Amino acid sequence: QPCTTEGYMLTVATLEPRKNYRRTLRALEQCWDSDLAPDWVIVGRPGWGYEKFVSEMKSSRHSHRIKWVQHLSDTELLRYYQDAMALLFPSLNEGFGLVVLEAMACGTPAIIGDNTAPAWVAGNSGLRVDAAEVDSIAAGIERIVSEKAWRCQASAVGLQRAATFTWEATAAKTVEAYRR
């Protein structure tokens, strides 16, 4: 559904501070105040230091626009990726960005923090924001919602890029690294 005007912002991650949920919530609240963003679906279990975010989420003036899902089967998770307008993933610290790759494989464009591993994974298919700045995240949300042509292009580029991330390619690069 990435080329439609329907769907929701999707975040898939354990609830912990490095995932940047609190700034993401503030950015969405800015967008929702002007009705410039769809609802937000969070798929993730509580991690460490999640209590403050959960409290803010529940007390948000837009709490009715947030759905938190803690347990899903792989099949259900796939459906959430496929039905999302975009992945909202301005994480502050990631080792690789598997969530971004999963979204790309489903044709779902992603909003990601600039200069992060997920930004490298997304390549030209990701909309980069300054993850430390609420206004930058909000601007990224507004752009991905309002620019259908960009979403469609990002979806196509993401599908192509995701196809290059194979276990065979990973094994070949690992062997090459050991040889060097």
Side-chain angles (χ1 to χ4, degrees):
Q1 310 298 348
C3 291
T4 70
T5 54
E6 298 178 16
Y8 41 81
M9 292 289 117
L10 174 68
T11 301
V12 179
T14 303
L15 274 64
E16 52 190 50
R18 71 185 179 97
K19 302 297 184 174
N20 209 21
Y21 279 104
R22 294 178 67 208
R23 282 189 192 96
T24 303
L25 174 60
R26 288 198 300 278
L28 278 163
E29 287 174 333
Q30 283 183 18
C31 295
W32 288 330
D33 284 344
S34 302
D35 202 26
L36 296 174
D39 291 353
W40 186 23
V41 175
I42 301 167
V43 176
R45 295 189 176 127
W48 59 274
Y50 70 95
E51 297 86 357
K52 190 160 190 146
F53 166 70
V54 170
S55 174
E56 289 175 3
M57 175 179 63
K58 288 180 179 179
S59 65
S60 169
R61 64 191 175 278
H62 298 287
S63 62
H64 63 283
R65 301 198 67 176
I66 305 166
K67 178 180 179 181
W68 179 22
V69 182
Q70 294 184 50
H71 305 283
L72 287 178
S73 69
D74 289 344
T75 303
E76 292 167 325
L77 179 58
L78 174 63
R79 176 62 58 204
Y80 272 92
Y81 276 123
Q82 292 171 333
D83 291 345
M85 178 185 288
L87 179 73
L88 181 53
F89 199 71
S91 180
L92 297 169
N93 185 7
E94 290 297 317
F96 174 72
L98 186 59
V99 169
V100 174
L101 184 56
E102 290 173 339
M104 289 165 41
C106 292
T108 303
I111 299 170
I112 42 159
D114 198 13
N115 299 314
T116 61
W120 174 81
V121 171
N124 292 331
S125 75
L127 197 158
R128 289 169 168 74
V129 298
D130 182 344
E133 295 294 329
V134 171
D135 289 342
S136 180
I137 298 168
I141 293 166
E142 290 177 24
R143 179 175 180 204
I144 211 160
V145 169
S146 66
E147 294 185 27
K148 182 180 177 185
W150 188 93
R151 275 197 324 275
C152 292
Q153 177 68 20
S155 175
V157 170
L159 284 166
Q160 290 176 339
R161 183 158 171 82
T164 68
F165 287 89
T166 64
W167 286 116
E168 292 79 12
T170 301
K173 288 180 182 180
T174 302
V175 168
E176 179 185 320
Y178 278 118
R179 286 190 176 138
R180 273 186 286 164

